[in-house]
């Protein structure tokens, strides 16, 4: 199960965070900070997996943004990596060559997309097509 | 009317300083609050959106929570959408406000508008609390069979959330899940599989309900692998890898320990593992899952070989991610098929050199489990190489594991000594506390290697004296085997220079001198050095003696009490003819069992020089029957005199002369509580023996604190002890010369002892009453667990001094197996002082067939105001299984 999803830039600013496990606000800030420190210091050819406390962080860097998810150690890491990629592809297709600013100004849309991809810490929709169709439909609602 | 969200974001982004940003946010928050107060419906949606942005920046937004609730009750979808988003961001399951949303969410889930159902399910799935899960579960059960797949998939995942919160509801969902699997919609199948996996993982007894699904799952998987290109579900040329992975994972759960189900899966697993394209991440994700499934279920051997081969390929992959998962899988299967994993040993060892810490971590984990007698030399060499370059974060764990595997699988003792020495010289400051003393024990119990070890250590010290544990072991060995070091040169490196290295006595003393003066040397190491020197004085020739004396004399004024005291003792010892046997070589140290005394565990490695003495003291004890009479005569019930008796033993060996001298001394200085304590004498002597053992085994940890007070106490006793005054006078003149030495050589009793004793010594009038029998002690049962019963027999030995309480702890065992290795330690609040003697035995016979007693005395400085409160620390074993407990055992108040 995914415990949280973080989108952070290289400077450590959290652009988006989604928590499926309840943490206190202080703890959330601490986690974001620690995770940024860990993933930012890793070289590109390193694995996309880091053991973190009792969990595992699966992260992937796209341009200046780190997409990190925290999962149970029993989860399939490659599966998580692929799920991150699916999410990013959806973002890319939705915004059309997505950049950091898109996420800043349209954060509520990004949340909507996350909610179409993941729910309750699990992957919900594996098809990029379906998600994009759905988003388009929702945007056109009154 | 406030500005747009976009404008707010722009303004905040253009702020140059944090202060400016704060003031902008404060201004905006104030505007939003005003708008909320005015119930401005028009801008409510926008205000909540802005609040969410402010929240993301980390500013307080609690005042907006109610606004979200207002939005979700609005009938409009647009309002609900932003309202639920706000709910998910601003609240979590721990907040009570959330309960207010329960009814609204319930209503929305049953709404006829699928979009409203969608957002409400989404909010429910992400943040619902236990109470809410219970309340809304009936609605989820209904919509899980909704006609719209978009809602079914959400409901299936919401069901997971419900079951995570309230596992008892599982039964309600099982009948509904089966229908979900016959869907064509991949998302619904995926979420249904996730739900099944979750149920099975939460409660393995539920697996039985899903066994029948195996053929269906196999069919779905087969159609996925054999179907052609499906644009809707294609990812990197593989049809819906997510679904494939989930199916494989569920098959793993269903096939585990079930040969029949496993048999049904064999074909498809073989198909997946041969046909999946392994050039891309998606394919590897499937293969990874497939291999895990094959290794877990009761699959055919051929399939297992294939799986291991896939892992072997993974290990050689250039992509670090793939190597990582391979290592991860191998460590999972290492228990089922160690041979297969051994085949990849070299590759795994290579992974230790990887720059990526994640890979190194996995590889290390795996290597520990691969070590066997046959390959330990190779693997430990690799691990040692890795230790050289390892980060600090790895070192302590690595060193600990290295020591463990070395101890467990060492082919011979020489190799073991070599390896531990190497570990210590590479990462000495990371080694666990017990390693140096274990090594000393190993060296001392292998006399044939002592010469070898001391030479090795000498060489190691020549190279590096900054690793404290290594230096300490080195010093101990040099002290112990200094003569061998000088005499035997067989191990010193001839072949390197072609010359045999010459170790002179001077060179050995030089190195000790260097250690003394080195800046990184700790005080504990200096203590080792002093003792080492003292021992060398009897091993080296007369010519070196003068130098040793001068070096020791230098420490007589040292600011460190321990060093100063040792230096004084040793230099006095030099003037004493009979020192030789005190400094004799120690008998082999027995492997320490768990000692019941506190001091042992806390500071086990600090002061083996003292251990040395303790051991020497222990040795003659075997012949102590002869001394029973002395001890009886000396009448020594307390620990300090126990030590005295012990020392008698020690010195007696040297002949009657010294013995009579010592007898006089100790005759003159018994402890005050011993006066006329004849009744208990035999009992006490037993106890003394116990104690001597305990102390000799490992009581040395306590010494640092107490030597001084002990020395003082002996004098104190000397003066205060009325009853023995006559004796004292007779012997004082002889005694005084030796008293200091012996007082300090006898290492001390428990920390509490001196205090309580001097306390008693100061009130000599009471001493006679110590022995008055107390007619009926009060008994309290204070502890009862695991068959172990402890009761306190409390008595007030001195009618005119109620602050003193004798507690006789009676320990019995109602269980059917004996309790072994029993140890009882006690701690008290500051206002109490406790003196705790050793238990009469460490084994408590079963079925109440015998009792163990342990005597303690408690002095309550606030008698009448505060109660006696003991915290016990119990350690014991039943059938070899260790138990420990820390109960509080208060006595009835003001007893």
């Amino acid at each position: 199960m995914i415990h949280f999803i973080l989108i952070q830039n290289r400077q450590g600013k959290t652009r988006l965070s989604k928590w499926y496990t309840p943490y206190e606000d202080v703890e959330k800030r601490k986690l974001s900070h620690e995770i940024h420190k860990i993933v930012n210091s890793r070289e590109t050819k390193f694995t996309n997996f880091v053991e973190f406390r009792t969990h595992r962080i699966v992260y992937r860097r796209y341009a200046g943004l780190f997409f990190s998810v925290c999962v149970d150690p029993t989860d399939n890491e490659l599966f998580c990596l692929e799920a991150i990629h699916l999410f990013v592809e959806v973002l890319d297709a939705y915004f059309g060559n997505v950049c950091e600013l898109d996420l800043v100004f349209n954060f509520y849309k990004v949340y909507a997309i996350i909610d179409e991809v993941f729910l309750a810490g699990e992957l919900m929709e594996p098809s990029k097509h379906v998600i994009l169709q759905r988003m388009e439909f929702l945007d056109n609602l009154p | 009317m406030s500005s747009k969200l976009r404008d707010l974001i722009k303004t905040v982004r253009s702020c140059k300083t944090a202060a400016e940003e704060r003031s902008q946010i404060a201004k905006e928050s104030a505007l939003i609050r005003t708008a909320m107060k005015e119930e401005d419906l028009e801008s409510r949606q926008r205000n909540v959106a802005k609040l969410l942005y402010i929240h993301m920046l980390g500013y307080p937004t609690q005042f907006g929570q109610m606004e979200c609730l207002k939005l979700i009750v609005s009938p409009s979808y647009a309002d609900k959408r932003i309202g639920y988003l706000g709910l998910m961001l601003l609240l979590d399951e721990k907040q009570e406000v959330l309960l207010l949303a329960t009814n609204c969410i319930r209503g929305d889930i049953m709404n006829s508008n699928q979009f409203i159902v969608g957002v409400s399910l989404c909010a429910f799935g992400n943040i619902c609390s236990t109470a809410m899960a219970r309340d809304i579960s009936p609605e989820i059960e209904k919509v899980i069979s909704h006609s719209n797949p978009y809602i079914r998939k959400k409901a299936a995942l919401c069901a997971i959330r419900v079951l995570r919160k309230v596992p008892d509801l599982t039964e309600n969902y099982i009948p509904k899940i089966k229908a979900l699997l016959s869907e064509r919609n991949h998302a619904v199948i995926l979420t249904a599989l996730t739900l099944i996996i979750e149920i099975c993982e939460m409660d393995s007894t539920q697996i039985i309900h899903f066994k029948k699904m195996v053929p269906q799952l196999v069919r779905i998987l087969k159609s996925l692998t054999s179907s052609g290109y499906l644009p809707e579900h294609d990812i990197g040329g593989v049809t819906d890898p997510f679904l494939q992975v989930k199916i494989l994972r569920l098959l793993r759960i269903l096939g585990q320990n079930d040969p029949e189900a496993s048999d049904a899966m064999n074909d498809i697993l073989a198909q997946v593992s041969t046909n999946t394209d392994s050039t891309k991440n998606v394919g590897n994700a499937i293969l990874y899952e497939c291999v895990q499934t094959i290794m877990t279920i009761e699959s055919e051997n051929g399939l297992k070989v294939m799986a291991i081969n896939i892992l072997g390929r993974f290990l050689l992959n250039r992509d670090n991610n793939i190597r990582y998962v391979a290592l991860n899988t191998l460590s999972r299967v290492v228990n089922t098929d160690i041979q297969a994993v051994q085949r990849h040993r070299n590759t795994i060892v290579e992974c230790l050199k990887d720059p990526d810490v994640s890979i190194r971590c996995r590889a290390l984990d795996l290597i520990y489990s691969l070590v066997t007698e046959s390959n330990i030399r190779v693997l430990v060499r690799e691990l040692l190489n890795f230790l050289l370059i390892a980060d600090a974060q790895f070192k302590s764990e690595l060193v600990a594991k290295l020591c463990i595997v070395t101890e467990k699988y060492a082919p011979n003792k020489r190799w073991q000594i070599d390896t531990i020495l190497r570990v210590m010289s590479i990462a000495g400051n990371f080694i666990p506390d017990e390693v140096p003393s274990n090594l000393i024990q190993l060296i001392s119990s292998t006399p044939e290697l002592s010469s070898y070890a001391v030479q090795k250590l000498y060489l190691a010290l020549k190279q590096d004296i900054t690793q404290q544990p290594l230096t300490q072991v080195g010093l101990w060995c040099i002290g112990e085997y200094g003569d061998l070091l000088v005499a035997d040169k067989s191990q010193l490196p001839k072949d390197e220079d072609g010359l045999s290295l010459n170790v002179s006595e001077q060179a050995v003393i030089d190195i000790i001198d260097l250690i003394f003066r080195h800046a990184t040397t700790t005080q504990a190491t200096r203590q080792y050095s002093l003792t080492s020197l003292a021992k060398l004085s009897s091993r080296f020739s007369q010519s070196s003696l003068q130098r040793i004396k001068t070096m020791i004399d230098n420490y007589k004024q040292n600011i460190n009490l321990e060093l100063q005291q040792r230096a004084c003792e040793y230099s006095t010892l030099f003037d004493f003819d009979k020192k030789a046997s005190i400094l004799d070589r120690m008998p082999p140290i027995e492997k320490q069992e768990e000692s019941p005394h506190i001091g042992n565990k806390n500071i086990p490695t600090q002061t083996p020089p003292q251990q040395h003495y303790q051991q020497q003291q222990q040795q003659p004890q075997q012949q102590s029957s002869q001394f029973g009479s002395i001890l009886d005569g000396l009448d020594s019930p307390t620990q300090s005199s126990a030590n005295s008796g012990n020392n008698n033993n020690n010195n007696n060996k040297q002949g009657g002369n010294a013995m009579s001298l010592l007898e006089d001394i100790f005759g003159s200085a018994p402890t005050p509580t011993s006066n006329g304590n004849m009744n208990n004498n035999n009992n006490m002597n037993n106890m003394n023996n116990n104690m001597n053992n305990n102390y000799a085994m490992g009581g040395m940890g306590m010494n640092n604190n107490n030597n001084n007070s002990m020395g003082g106490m002996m004098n104190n006793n000397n003066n205060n002890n009325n009853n023995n005054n006559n004796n004292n006078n007779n012997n004082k003149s002889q005694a005084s010369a030796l008293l200091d030495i012996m007082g300090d050589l006898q290492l001390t009793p428990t920390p509490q002892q001196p205090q309580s004793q001097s306390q008693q010594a100061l009130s000599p009038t009471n001493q006679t009453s110590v022995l008055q029998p107390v007619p009926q002690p009060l008994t309290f049962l204070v502890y009862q667990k695991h068959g172990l019963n402890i009761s306190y027999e409390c008595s007030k030995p001195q009618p005119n001094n109620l602050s003193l309480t004798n507690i006789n702890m009676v320990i019995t065992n109602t269980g059917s197996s004996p309790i072994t290795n029993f140890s009882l330690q006690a701690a008290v609040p500051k206002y109490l002082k406790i003196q705790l003697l050793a238990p009469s035995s460490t084994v408590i016979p079963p079925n109440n067939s015998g009792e163990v007693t342990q005597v303690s005395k408690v002095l309550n400085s606030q008698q009448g105001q505060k109660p006696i409160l003991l915290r016990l620390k119990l350690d014991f074993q039943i059938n070899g299984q260790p138990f420990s407990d820390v109960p509080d055992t208060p006595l009835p108040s003001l007893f």
Side-chain angles (χ1 to χ4, degrees):
Chain A
M1 151 184 194
I2 299 174
H3 296 274
F4 54 83
I5 302 173
L6 289 176
I7 305 179
Q8 295 168 311
N9 67 10
R10 295 210 59 191
Q11 288 73 44
K13 263 215 164 19
T14 303
R15 288 305 179 196
L16 187 130
S17 58
K18 183 87 185 169
W19 308 85
Y20 295 101
T21 305
Y23 294 95
E24 297 296 327
D25 281 350
V26 182
E27 182 68 10
K28 284 182 184 173
R29 266 196 290 279
K30 205 169 135 218
L31 285 170
S32 315
H33 180 72
E34 277 180 38
I35 288 171
H36 175 258
K37 228 168 62 186
I38 294 174
V39 296
N40 196 32
S41 62
R42 289 173 62 83
E43 288 175 29
T44 40
K45 64 175 193 312
F46 283 7
T47 55
N48 295 95
F49 320 124
V50 195
E51 266 126 82
F52 178 74
R53 302 189 188 174
T54 52
H55 293 95
R56 196 165 281 164
I57 303 291
V58 179
Y59 73 96
R60 195 151 175 173
R61 187 177 152 185
Y62 292 89
L65 285 179
F66 290 102
F67 289 71
S68 317
V69 300
C70 173
V71 295
D72 289 325
T74 48
D75 284 338
N76 183 328
E77 299 88 351
L78 298 174
F79 177 94
C80 299
L81 201 57
E82 208 49 48
I84 295 177
H85 189 66
L86 172 77
F87 172 53
V88 174
E89 281 202 336
V90 173
L91 287 179
D92 200 47
Y94 180 78
F95 289 108
N97 205 359
V98 68
C99 68
E100 195 177 336
L101 275 187
D102 287 328
L103 305 188
V104 175
F105 281 99
N106 299 296
F107 69 91
Y108 52 95
K109 289 188 179 164
V110 182
Y111 277 117
I113 295 175
I114 281 201
D115 287 339
E116 289 303 319
V117 183
F118 303 100
L119 180 66
E122 304 287 350
L123 180 72
M124 179 171 72
E125 177 56 65
S127 164
K128 191 167 95 178
H129 275 275
V130 176
I131 300 166
L132 286 171
Q133 259 172 15
R134 185 75 188 178
M135 285 308 295
E136 199 180 336
F137 205 91
L138 290 178
D139 283 346
N140 294 331
L141 281 177
Chain B
M1 182 73 190
S2 52
S3 56
K4 287 181 174 172
L5 170 64
R6 202 178 177 80
D7 296 333
L8 170 66
I9 298 177
K10 271 190 186 150
T11 325
V12 170
R13 282 177 59 82
S14 64
C15 289
K16 296 221 162 40
T17 62
E20 200 182 337
E21 185 182 296
R22 269 199 300 277
S23 77
Q24 277 295 342
I25 298 285
K27 224 189 298 173
E28 193 63 40
S29 299
L31 280 176
I32 296 173
R33 262 197 297 261
T34 325
M36 284 176 178
K37 224 176 277 167
E38 290 164 359
E39 294 285 324
D40 184 351
L41 296 180
E42 302 261 306
S43 61
R44 185 176 270 163
Q45 222 188 87
R46 180 192 293 166
N47 281 338
V48 170
K50 279 200 266 188
L51 263 185
L52 297 183
Y53 180 69
I54 293 171
H55 174 80
M56 282 169 63
L57 295 176
Y59 294 92
T61 49
Q62 283 80 355
F63 58 90
Q65 294 175 348
M66 290 312 290
E67 215 64 7
C68 296
L69 292 175
K70 285 178 192 160
L71 278 175
I72 60 170
V73 294
S74 146
S76 128
Y77 170 71
D79 279 351
K80 278 187 191 293
R81 190 177 180 184
I82 196 87
Y84 276 117
L85 177 59
L87 206 65
M88 284 189 278
L89 287 184
L90 300 183
L91 296 177
D92 64 37
E93 61 185 272
K94 290 177 185 160
Q95 261 128 359
E96 307 226 327
V97 188
L98 193 59
L99 281 177
L100 299 177
T102 309
N103 272 329
C104 181
I105 293 178
R106 194 205 315 263
D108 283 346
I109 290 177
M110 301 313 288
N111 199 300
S112 55
N113 180 334
Q114 58 151 320
F115 301 104
I116 291 180
V117 181
V119 294
S120 58
L121 279 176
C122 181
F124 175 82
N126 286 341
I127 59 167
C128 90
S129 61
T130 308
M132 212 165 160
R134 208 181 279 280
D135 282 353
I136 299 186
S137 176
E139 278 72 30
I140 303 292
E141 287 161 36
K142 276 179 208 144
V143 291
I144 208 168
S145 338
H146 200 276
S147 57
N148 188 337
Y150 175 77
I151 288 170
R152 282 200 299 276
K153 70 181 180 191
K154 288 200 167 177
L157 291 180
C158 285
I160 292 184
R161 177 88 185 191
V162 170
L163 298 183
R164 276 183 197 147
K165 299 284 165 199
V166 197
D168 330 343
L169 295 171
T170 311
E171 302 295 331
N172 302 358
Y173 288 92
I174 287 175
K176 318 243 173 195
I177 298 172
K178 289 176 184 162
L180 295 179
L181 274 191
S182 27
E183 295 262 351
R184 296 201 42 212
N185 185 307
H186 283 204
V188 177
I189 304 177
L190 180 79
T191 52
L193 290 170
T194 316
L195 176 57
I196 299 174
I197 291 170
E198 186 74 25
I199 291 174
C200 295
E201 281 179 353
M202 275 194 297
D203 180 3
S204 53
T205 57
Q206 303 286 3
I207 295 178
I208 192 82
H209 296 292
F210 305 104
K211 292 272 189 199
K212 282 193 296 268
M213 290 179 181
V214 174
Q216 196 180 358
L217 292 170
V218 169
R219 212 161 42 239
I220 300 173
L221 189 53
K222 194 168 264 168
S223 72
L224 284 176
T225 48
S226 54
S227 70
Y229 176 70
L230 290 174
E232 200 181 332
H233 296 292
D234 186 82
I235 295 179
V238 180
T239 309
D240 210 337
F242 297 108
L243 192 52
Q244 293 197 34
V245 168
K246 285 280 177 197
I247 294 176
L248 287 167
R249 181 150 181 194
L250 182 55
L251 288 178
R252 173 157 87 241
I253 294 170
L254 299 180
Q256 193 167 16
N257 303 324
D258 183 345
E260 199 185 328
S262 301
D263 199 46
M265 302 169 197
N266 268 329
D267 285 349
I268 187 69
L269 292 178
Q271 199 182 329
V272 170
S273 47
T274 40
N275 293 351
T276 307
D277 169 23
S278 64
T279 54
K280 291 214 180 80
N281 183 46
V282 275
N284 287 324
I286 297 173
L287 283 174
Y288 172 40
E289 200 68 36
C290 188
V291 167
Q292 291 190 62
T293 302
I294 293 173
M295 298 309 290
T296 312
I297 66 168
E298 313 285 316
S299 51
E300 288 166 3
N301 281 336
L303 209 51
K304 284 205 163 130
V305 172
M306 193 148 84
I308 291 283
N309 286 341
I310 292 177
L311 286 180
R313 270 205 327 266
F314 274 13
L315 267 184
L316 297 172
N317 202 303
R318 270 192 326 207
D319 185 347
N320 271 336
N321 286 344
I322 307 297
R323 278 164 54 206
Y324 178 91
V325 297
L327 290 169
N328 207 2
T329 323
L330 285 173
S331 51
R332 277 178 206 164
V333 303
V334 76
N335 294 327
T336 50
D337 193 354
I338 185 130
Q339 281 317 311
V341 185
Q342 291 283 10
R343 236 176 293 145
H344 300 294
R345 206 176 58 218
N346 294 338
T347 327
I348 297 166
V349 169
E350 277 305 298
C351 290
L352 277 184
K353 296 170 189 145
D354 199 277
D356 184 354
V357 58
S358 295
I359 297 229
R360 288 201 303 267
C361 230
R362 290 286 113 224
L364 258 186
D365 259 9
L366 193 52
I367 287 183
Y368 299 134
S369 41
L370 290 183
V371 176
T372 61
E373 281 94 345
S374 53
N375 61 22
I376 184 163
R377 286 168 189 268
V378 187
L379 284 184
V380 167
R381 196 187 314 132
E382 288 296 339
L383 289 175
L384 285 171
N385 286 341
F386 178 57
L387 185 60
L388 278 172
I389 52 152
D391 307 332
Q393 63 173 108
F394 277 113
K395 273 193 174 149
S396 44
E397 193 198 339
L398 181 59
V399 163
K401 292 246 173 87
L402 259 174
C403 294
I404 293 169
V405 294
T406 310
E407 199 162 325
K408 203 161 151 199
Y409 297 113
N412 57 54
K413 293 208 164 155
R414 179 168 167 159
W415 184 86
Q416 190 179 350
I417 291 175
D418 277 348
T419 309
I420 303 280
L421 277 186
R422 183 125 174 78
V423 172
M424 293 211 318
S425 57
I426 297 172
N429 294 328
F430 289 91
I431 61 172
D433 288 347
E434 68 273 12
V435 173
S437 49
N438 283 352
L439 181 59
I440 288 179
Q441 182 264 328
L442 178 69
I443 294 173
S444 111
S445 60
T446 359
E448 66 276 15
L449 286 177
S450 48
S451 165
Y452 171 77
V454 70
Q455 290 175 60
K456 279 278 181 190
L457 277 160
Y458 175 75
L459 288 177
L461 287 191
K462 281 200 79 117
Q463 280 173 0
D464 184 7
I465 55 169
T466 57
Q467 313 267 9
Q468 297 306 312
L470 179 69
T471 316
Q472 289 171 3
V473 176
L475 284 168
W476 188 89
C477 288
I478 288 176
E480 201 63 19
Y481 309 109
D483 44 343
L484 299 178
L485 176 59
V486 179
D488 180 7
K489 298 182 177 62
S490 58
Q491 293 306 322
L492 295 173
K494 290 176 220 170
D495 27 18
E496 286 171 18
D497 307 333
L499 292 166
S500 158
L501 192 83
N502 214 359
V503 183
S504 64
E505 294 179 358
Q506 288 308 317
V508 176
I509 299 176
D510 277 345
I511 209 164
I512 298 181
D513 194 30
L514 189 66
I515 293 169
F516 259 133
R517 285 184 284 136
H518 201 274
T520 58
T521 305
T522 61
Q523 295 300 346
T525 311
R526 291 209 168 87
Q527 293 169 24
Y528 275 83
S529 316
L530 266 180
T531 310
S532 183
L533 274 178
K535 286 193 233 171
L536 286 180
S537 70
S538 73
R539 310 224 192 321
F540 280 0
S541 61
Q542 280 299 320
S543 52
S544 308
L545 196 58
Q546 196 47 47
R547 186 161 174 219
I548 292 177
K549 281 183 180 168
T550 324
M551 281 171 69
I552 289 183
D553 282 348
N554 283 340
Y555 278 82
K556 278 174 149 180
Q557 278 91 38
N558 196 284
I559 193 164
N560 181 291
L561 261 185
E562 177 73 20
L563 288 177
Q564 188 192 53
Q565 199 170 337
R566 295 264 163 250
C568 290
E569 285 165 22
Y570 293 143
S571 63
T572 316
L573 201 58
F574 290 142
D575 303 331
F576 181 47
D577 294 346
K578 299 299 175 187
K579 65 170 197 267
S581 63
I582 294 180
L583 298 172
D584 256 358
R585 189 157 297 157
M586 289 175 56
I589 304 170
E590 299 296 317
K591 181 96 182 161
Q592 290 186 13
E593 293 302 319
E594 193 85 344
S595 161
H597 270 266
I598 306 171
N600 188 28
K601 275 243 140 153
N602 292 351
I603 326 169
T605 56
Q606 274 214 329
T607 47
Q610 294 160 6
Q611 185 182 22
H612 175 194
Y613 285 116
Q614 309 270 358
Q615 290 288 345
Q616 285 195 333
Q617 289 164 7
Q618 190 188 17
Q619 183 192 29
Q621 221 189 331
Q622 289 138 8
Q623 11 158 326
S624 73
S625 57
Q626 185 189 347
F627 291 106
S629 57
I630 298 178
L631 285 173
D632 285 344
L634 280 176
D635 203 2
S636 48
T638 61
Q639 293 177 17
S640 62
S641 43
N643 275 327
S644 313
N646 213 351
N647 213 64
N648 265 338
N649 295 348
N650 185 23
N651 284 278
N652 178 58
K653 215 170 49 169
Q654 304 161 30
N657 190 15
M659 189 183 99
S660 60
L661 192 62
L662 286 165
E663 194 180 356
D664 285 341
I665 298 170
F666 290 106
S668 72
T671 52
T673 45
S674 66
N675 305 330
N677 206 350
M678 292 295 185
N679 310 348
N680 297 334
N681 229 351
N682 289 332
N683 191 9
M684 285 303 194
N685 275 334
N686 279 342
M687 209 170 275
N688 285 337
N689 287 340
N690 270 334
M691 253 170 238
N692 293 343
N693 285 334
N694 290 334
Y695 277 92
M697 289 305 267
M700 69 278 191
M702 295 172 191
N703 295 320
N704 283 342
N705 314 331
N706 294 299
N707 275 331
N708 209 33
S709 56
M710 182 63 194
M713 199 192 76
M714 296 284 273
N715 289 324
N716 215 3
N717 292 340
N718 221 351
N719 300 329
N720 283 331
N721 195 323
N722 297 333
N723 294 8
N724 283 334
N725 252 347
N726 297 336
N727 234 348
N728 265 354
N729 291 336
N730 294 342
N731 295 309
K732 221 169 208 167
S733 50
Q734 293 157 308
S736 55
L738 275 173
L739 199 64
D740 280 339
I741 310 174
M742 299 327 294
D744 294 331
L745 277 181
Q746 297 352 309
L747 300 157
T748 32
T750 56
Q752 300 90 340
Q753 186 106 14
Q755 293 156 347
S756 55
Q757 278 190 342
S758 49
Q759 194 85 25
Q760 287 171 8
L762 290 172
S763 51
T765 45
N766 288 335
Q767 284 177 7
T768 42
S769 60
V770 173
L771 300 159
Q772 281 178 357
V774 179
Q776 280 174 333
L778 286 167
T779 305
F780 309 104
L781 182 63
V782 294
Y783 182 82
Q784 200 166 21
K785 223 185 224 180
H786 309 295
L788 180 70
N789 295 323
I790 301 178
S791 52
Y792 290 170
E793 289 179 12
C794 302
S795 55
K796 297 284 184 189
Q798 304 173 2
N800 49 357
N801 181 9
L802 292 175
S803 56
L804 186 65
T805 309
N806 279 353
I807 302 181
N808 188 20
M809 304 173 173
V810 179
I811 302 129
T812 54
N813 178 8
T814 56
S816 54
S817 8
I819 291 177
T820 54
N821 293 25
F822 177 78
S823 105
L824 182 154
Q825 296 158 2
V828 289
K830 279 204 179 107
Y831 60 88
L832 295 175
K833 296 214 161 78
I834 186 171
Q835 175 185 0
L836 187 66
L837 304 185
S840 57
S841 163
T842 58
V843 179
I844 308 160
N847 302 324
N848 258 335
S849 58
E851 61 180 28
V852 170
T853 56
Q854 186 161 7
V855 178
S856 74
K857 290 179 181 168
V858 177
L859 189 71
N860 187 349
S861 64
Q862 301 198 26
Q863 174 68 20
Q865 294 159 31
K866 292 199 174 163
I868 293 176
L869 176 68
L870 268 66
R871 172 169 291 174
L872 302 183
K873 181 171 188 304
L874 304 168
D875 288 293
F876 53 94
Q877 293 186 355
I878 301 176
N879 290 330
Q881 189 191 358
F883 289 90
S884 80
D885 199 357
V886 187
D888 279 334
T889 60
L891 291 184
S893 57
L894 314 184
F895 175 78

